Amino acid sequence: FVDHVRPLTLLALNTGLRRGELLKLQWRDVDLGAKQLTVHGHNAKSSQTRNVPLNSEAHQVLTAWRELHPNASSGGCVFGRPDGSPMTRIDNAWETVVDLAGLENFRFHDCRHHFASRLVMSGVPLNTVRDLLGHASIEMTMKYAHLAPDTLAQAVEKLTAAG
């Protein structure tokens, strides 16, 4: 990786973590063997601790990033400064990447929306999406419900197949 923006973006797209959750993520909370990471409540907007599974791309990104930073403290931040403390802002780097890509009005948080939208369009139940996103209530997740219009039809069709 040339810098931290690419791995941060790929992890956001594949885990749905918020920017702050990614920037505060510590290596001790990443279990590459179990292919999961833990977002602790004190770093989460909902104050709820959650375990987030890593798909193959997220796992590959973290594995490669770890190899590039072999001397990183096991207790330090994944995307930290040399002393292991967390980065607090990526605004300048993000704006540069967005400009170079020719994108307009694309915020880092849009990666989280993309993650949720892809899950819902793939048929993942809204409550599972809620759990992965760390929403405190299902109401926050319901804004993605319109992306799965066939869900109701598929549900009632199961009655015919069962019976």
Side-chain angles (χ1 to χ4, degrees):
F1 300 112
V2 177
D3 61 16
H4 58 282
V5 177
R6 182 174 186 222
L8 269 168
T9 304
L10 290 172
L11 283 177
L13 290 168
N14 286 284
T15 63
L17 266 64
R18 296 173 180 90
R19 179 181 53 203
E21 292 170 342
L22 285 166
L23 293 177
K24 293 175 186 172
L25 183 65
Q26 297 191 4
W27 280 114
R28 67 176 171 240
D29 300 322
V30 176
D31 187 339
L32 292 173
K35 294 185 176 182
Q36 78 171 15
L37 57 82
T38 301
V39 175
H40 292 282
H42 59 271
N43 291 329
K45 187 175 178 181
S46 67
S47 299
Q48 298 293 316
T49 296
R50 70 185 189 280
N51 293 316
V52 179
L54 300 173
N55 66 15
S56 58
E57 185 171 19
H59 185 266
Q60 182 180 14
V61 166
L62 283 169
T63 299
W65 189 249
R66 182 70 176 153
E67 288 173 9
L68 286 173
H69 300 88
N71 296 324
S73 165
S74 63
C77 289
V78 173
F79 299 104
R81 295 184 173 105
D83 67 359
S85 66
M87 282 189 261
T88 56
R89 301 184 63 95
I90 61 165
D91 299 347
N92 292 337
W94 180 254
E95 287 176 23
T96 300
V97 170
V98 169
D99 288 344
L100 288 172
L103 301 172
E104 292 184 26
N105 301 317
F106 191 78
R107 304 163 301 142
F108 190 85
H109 197 74
D110 293 332
C111 296
R112 182 171 163 83
H113 293 303
H114 184 70
F115 169 80
S117 298
R118 284 183 10 219
L119 289 174
V120 172
M121 289 186 292
S122 296
V124 175
L126 288 173
N127 201 48
T128 301
V129 175
R130 181 193 64 79
D131 288 342
L132 290 168
L133 292 174
H135 285 159
S137 68
I138 194 69
E139 287 77 23
M140 288 295 297
T141 315
M142 289 302 293
K143 67 182 173 181
Y144 300 103
H146 71 281
L147 298 172
D150 298 334
T151 304
L152 296 175
Q154 291 169 0
V156 295
E157 193 60 37
K158 290 182 182 202
L159 293 175
T160 304

